[in-house]
Amino acid sequence: MTSSALSTASDRQRLELRAAAVLEMRRRNQSRNTVYGIYRPNGEYGGELVRCIQDSGGMNFVEVDAEPDFGIPEKLEPLITKPKKFKLALGGRGGAKSVGVGGIRSSFAKDYGTKTLCLREMQNTIEDSVHALINGFIQQRNWDCFEVTDKAIRIDGDDVFKFRGIARNPDGVKSMYGFSCGWVEEAQVLSAKSIDILTPTIREAGSEIWFTLNPGSSQDPISQRFLQPFYSQLLRDGYYEDDLHLIIWINYSDNPWHRELEQERAFDEKNMSRNGYRHKWLGHYNDDVDNAIIPAEHFDAAVDAHKKLGFRGEGAKIASYDPSDLGPDDKGYCLRHGSVVLDVCGSSLGDVN
């Protein structure tokens, strides 16, 4: 064999060894539990890695010194670490709700074979679902354990993701037994009937139902069932938790990777109505009333009007409060001098008296 042929064979052997090493490393990475990078916004649209967590066994997540497989905003970390029957991630555009949940559910499928039924109120075709989002996430990480088909995503021939619309085929959704998680995207449009279907459908031991949404009206069924009972705490803390519920309010300001949408957000802040902006980007209810006598912007303009127009309060000073005693609802207090409101405050603790 000539020296040239020997060199060619040696090069080929080195390439084969390198390819084998890459495949072995990929196999090892896919066989171990996912390492989640927890990121916190840092400065203007930047982010910093604050810790990495990994399941050490039995869904016991511990901090580890390892490279993350993917990152999520810090505010979404409880979705991984805290088991609850109902989990909601709500907020405006750019909060990384859907991408974060898609990544977490994909990782759970890889690590534990967890089966997720991906739902929407209306789904005419697979393109209406989160199929493309999950497929993209899997492809970016070269997770070869997944088999992606047109209608489902599988591991070892078993469907770990299926995609359904609830409204047009409720019986088809009811028949989906064996799924330990239901994820409802765009959940703000769910009907009361669809909400009633979910709990008996997703009923495996330890099963969970996840919702991602930007709330619509405060009168919508999803708002009445899952948000209104806890709304004062959500407004105050951006978070609510009890034995049954975990609710996270997350917006662009919580997303370390928001930079791509910042120009659009800044434009909307200047040009949209206050309520429209708060709904689109901050996840507040869209309860604007058509042809309202007093638009919300007029209330904004009245703030400090006495300073802008150069007058002072006259007449009686009147203090008023909500006599709510020690109940769990918020207590309110207001002090005004004539037409000038001097102080307004609220508290959810203690006795306002």
Side-chain angles (χ1 to χ4, degrees):
M1 184 177 291
T2 65
S3 59
S4 177
L6 286 172
S7 177
T8 300
S10 177
D11 288 344
R12 184 168 59 250
Q13 187 177 28
R14 282 197 297 269
L15 288 173
E16 289 173 349
L17 289 172
R18 185 180 302 172
V22 169
L23 289 173
E24 175 62 16
M25 183 62 68
R26 183 181 296 176
R27 185 193 66 79
R28 291 181 182 180
N29 286 339
Q30 294 190 52
S31 63
R32 64 165 172 76
N33 287 334
T34 301
V35 177
Y36 301 90
I38 309 302
Y39 286 81
R40 180 182 301 159
N42 179 21
E44 192 172 11
Y45 325 126
E48 61 176 331
L49 178 65
V50 294
R51 62 185 162 276
C52 289
I53 62 172
Q54 185 182 34
D55 182 12
S56 62
M59 297 294 284
N60 177 36
F61 288 89
V62 297
E63 192 167 340
V64 295
D65 182 15
E67 288 294 317
D69 292 301
F70 77 100
I72 63 168
E74 185 177 27
K75 208 166 187 183
L76 292 181
E77 183 178 358
L79 292 178
I80 300 172
T81 59
K82 295 189 175 184
K84 303 287 181 182
K85 179 63 177 181
F86 299 109
K87 293 181 177 179
L88 290 86
L90 69 98
R93 189 174 184 195
K97 302 181 297 297
S98 299
V99 173
V101 168
I104 294 168
R105 296 313 313 173
S106 299
S107 298
F108 279 21
K110 176 182 77 70
D111 295 347
Y112 319 113
T114 303
K115 302 176 69 174
T116 301
L117 182 58
C118 301
L119 300 164
R120 297 175 74 106
E121 178 73 357
M122 299 294 295
Q123 180 182 307
N124 295 317
T125 67
I126 197 70
E127 285 77 15
D128 297 330
S129 73
V130 292
H131 181 281
L133 184 153
I134 295 171
N135 182 31
F137 181 89
I138 292 168
Q139 298 303 323
Q140 288 174 8
R141 283 148 191 85
N142 293 314
W143 284 351
D144 297 335
C145 58
F146 290 93
E147 176 193 356
V148 179
T149 72
D150 290 342
K151 295 182 179 180
I153 298 176
R154 299 171 177 164
I155 293 180
D156 296 330
D158 195 16
D159 292 335
V160 291
F161 290 101
K162 279 193 172 182
F163 308 87
R164 293 290 186 274
I166 307 175
R168 290 190 174 180
N169 189 17
D171 292 334
V173 172
K174 290 177 184 178
S175 66
M176 290 286 128
Y177 300 116
F179 285 83
S180 59
C181 179
W183 170 23
V184 186
E185 170 73 327
E186 301 289 349
Q188 67 270 13
V189 299
L190 279 177
S191 67
K193 179 180 178 181
S194 294
I195 293 174
D196 289 340
I197 288 172
L198 288 174
T199 299
T201 299
I202 310 297
R203 61 188 185 189
E204 295 290 310
S207 62
E208 298 182 345
I209 302 176
W210 295 30
F211 303 91
T212 46
L213 68 152
N214 184 356
S217 168
S218 59
Q219 300 304 308
D220 288 337
I222 191 79
S223 300
Q224 288 291 305
R225 167 59 183 86
F226 291 105
L227 302 182
Q228 282 298 96
F230 323 113
Y231 206 64
S232 60
Q233 293 96 317
L234 285 169
L235 283 173
R236 183 186 67 231
D237 304 327
Y239 184 90
Y240 176 81
E241 179 183 359
D242 60 28
D243 291 341
L244 192 62
H245 306 86
L246 172 65
I247 308 174
I248 299 171
W249 197 329
I250 183 168
N251 286 314
Y252 74 91
S253 55
D254 305 302
N255 179 6
W257 307 283
H258 164 66
R259 181 187 297 272
E260 294 300 319
L261 294 174
E262 176 53 23
Q263 285 187 324
E264 180 184 352
R265 185 208 65 80
F267 178 87
D268 286 347
E269 187 176 23
K270 291 181 179 179
N271 294 280
M272 293 183 71
S273 68
R274 187 193 71 167
N275 279 5
Y277 174 82
R278 282 163 57 84
H279 168 64
K280 179 177 179 179
W281 289 99
L282 302 180
H284 288 272
Y285 290 134
N286 187 21
D287 279 342
D288 271 343
V289 178
D290 291 338
N291 302 315
I293 297 174
I294 306 177
E297 287 76 8
H298 289 191
F299 286 99
D300 291 343
V303 175
D304 289 336
H306 64 297
K307 297 178 181 179
K308 300 169 187 173
L309 299 177
F311 68 88
R312 296 182 177 181
E314 297 180 354
K317 288 186 177 181
I318 299 175
S320 60
Y321 70 95
D322 170 22
S324 55
D325 300 320
L326 296 174
D329 55 324
D330 285 356
K331 299 96 171 129
Y333 166 81
C334 178
L335 174 66
R336 70 176 176 88
H337 185 192
S339 64
V340 179
V341 175
L342 302 176
D343 188 23
V344 176
C345 60
S347 175
S348 59
L349 302 173
D351 187 347
V352 73
N353 295 305

